[in-house]
Amino acid sequence: MAVVVTGPDAKPVGSRRCMFELKEYTRPFTCRVCTVNSYDTVRYRCDHCDECRHVSCIRLDEEIRVGPGPRDIFAMLPVFTLYEKPQAGINSKNKKWAEYCLVCGMLIKHYSYHIRTTEKKDLNMHPRCAELIRVNNRVAVPLELHMGERWSCVWCGNKRPEGASPAGPTDFYCWSYEMTGGKNRIHVRCYSEMMTQALNSIADSHYYNDDDTIRIVLRRRKSTDGTGWEGILKGAFDIALEVAGLGLTQILVDLI
Ligand SMILES: [Zn+2]
Ligand SMILES: [Zn+2]
Ligand SMILES: [Zn+2]
Ligand SMILES: [Zn+2]
């Protein structure tokens, strides 16, 4: 399925317009619209400009309606508006962290879905992150989403992922997924890092493996502790592989 993209971002070369094709790939990629690394294996790619976009980013809607979100945070503010850059007004109450994505915590460099709260806080989200809570979303949400930094993440071991703004509020910035057992969490950002590593590892293993076993190397930001791989991360990783559409039978996971 090919899509011709027009508008300021189409970057025509000569008389040729971008032609994005929907295909399945094995490597992670950086979406031209979100500018974040991503693990979605099915995506749009334009061969002549060598750029990729998420399925949900090939054409961004001017407005999106989101679900209530964790703890019904958006029950009263369900409609976000698209901008070419994250928005923060002159009298913004959260200027220090407004340009960071509410969901993954990372700085937004390009398109953003924005809303202003009644307390004059400017909330911005990457298009792909907004998709996680969008009504009728086009992406899979692997695990239940949570807010609040009460627990450390099983991937980074910290309350918020590296690169997140230290100024963001602890109660509703840097969301995470709830893992098996309920107590443990993995940041949305860290989940993405885990899957990016896994895809690279899987793609590399085809070059040197004769048997059918695929060796996946995961390098956590936190060194392995007593809680162990089996009970915690493994459960999330199995779900992650399934969500990514990777039906792998023989895998060997090395956790570093
Ligand atoms: Zn192109
Ligand atoms: Zn994207
Ligand atoms: Zn984000
Ligand atoms: Zn983390």
Side-chain angles (χ1 to χ4, degrees), residues 9-256:
D9 250 8
K11 286 217 320 177
V13 176
S15 59
R16 229 179 127 184
R17 272 183 175 160
C18 279
M19 178 78 77
F20 282 84
E21 274 189 87
L22 188 64
K23 282 189 198 162
E24 193 166 351
Y25 298 90
T26 53
R27 294 274 181 189
F29 72 108
T30 303
C31 173
R32 155 119 175 106
V33 174
C34 294
T35 71
V36 290
N37 288 332
S38 189
Y39 55 84
D40 290 342
T41 50
V42 175
R43 59 186 179 254
Y44 282 100
R45 185 172 182 280
C46 173
D47 281 336
H48 91 259
C49 64
D50 196 21
E51 281 175 3
C52 293
R53 294 181 184 211
H54 287 116
V55 171
S56 54
C57 291
I58 192 68
R59 276 210 186 94
L60 297 174
D61 293 323
E62 294 300 317
E63 281 186 350
I64 58 164
R65 180 168 286 270
V66 301
R71 282 194 244 141
D72 293 343
I73 181 180
F74 297 132
M76 309 297 285
L77 301 162
V79 178
F80 280 70
T81 307
L82 180 70
Y83 290 92
E84 261 193 57
K85 294 276 175 202
Q87 299 296 297
I90 293 163
N91 56 351
S92 176
K93 288 274 189 262
N94 65 325
K95 252 199 195 115
K96 279 187 178 163
W97 60 276
E99 292 182 3
Y100 288 78
C101 174
L102 183 71
V103 176
C104 74
M106 299 298 117
L107 190 65
I108 301 174
K109 293 176 185 154
H110 205 348
Y111 286 101
S112 171
Y113 279 109
H114 167 266
I115 204 161
R116 176 165 256 216
T117 70
T118 46
E119 299 96 50
K120 293 184 179 145
K121 279 184 180 150
D122 288 294
L123 306 182
N124 288 281
M125 293 188 285
H126 288 115
R128 175 63 173 79
C129 293
E131 198 71 18
L132 288 172
I133 51 164
R134 187 179 178 169
V135 174
N136 298 324
N137 59 0
R138 293 161 287 180
V139 302
V141 183
L143 297 153
E144 199 186 323
L145 284 163
H146 279 271
M147 301 186 302
E149 299 179 315
R150 282 168 294 148
W151 289 290
S152 291
C153 165
V154 296
W155 182 262
C156 70
N158 290 317
K159 291 205 164 174
R160 60 184 57 174
E162 201 174 299
S165 166
T170 54
D171 54 348
F172 67 98
Y173 174 58
C174 292
W175 296 9
S176 55
Y177 292 118
E178 181 178 305
M179 318 236 332
T180 326
K183 186 170 161 281
N184 293 294
R185 308 271 186 90
I186 184 167
H187 290 121
V188 169
R189 163 71 177 173
C190 293
Y191 178 91
S192 181
E193 196 171 278
M194 173 179 79
M195 287 312 293
T196 300
Q197 285 187 16
L199 287 183
N200 275 328
S201 199
I202 291 165
D204 286 343
S205 72
H206 291 306
Y207 292 110
Y208 60 81
N209 245 344
D210 308 328
D211 59 20
D212 292 335
T213 306
I214 292 176
R215 185 166 176 264
I216 297 174
V217 181
L218 298 180
R219 203 175 293 272
R220 280 198 294 179
R221 286 180 179 269
K222 171 176 93 161
S223 59
T224 311
D225 59 16
T227 53
W229 154 257
E230 279 300 321
I232 303 169
L233 204 50
K234 180 74 166 66
F237 191 64
D238 287 346
I239 294 166
L241 288 179
E242 214 178 294
V243 169
L246 302 166
L248 303 173
T249 44
Q250 296 189 61
I251 60 162
L252 192 75
V253 179
D254 280 344
L255 200 62
I256 302 175

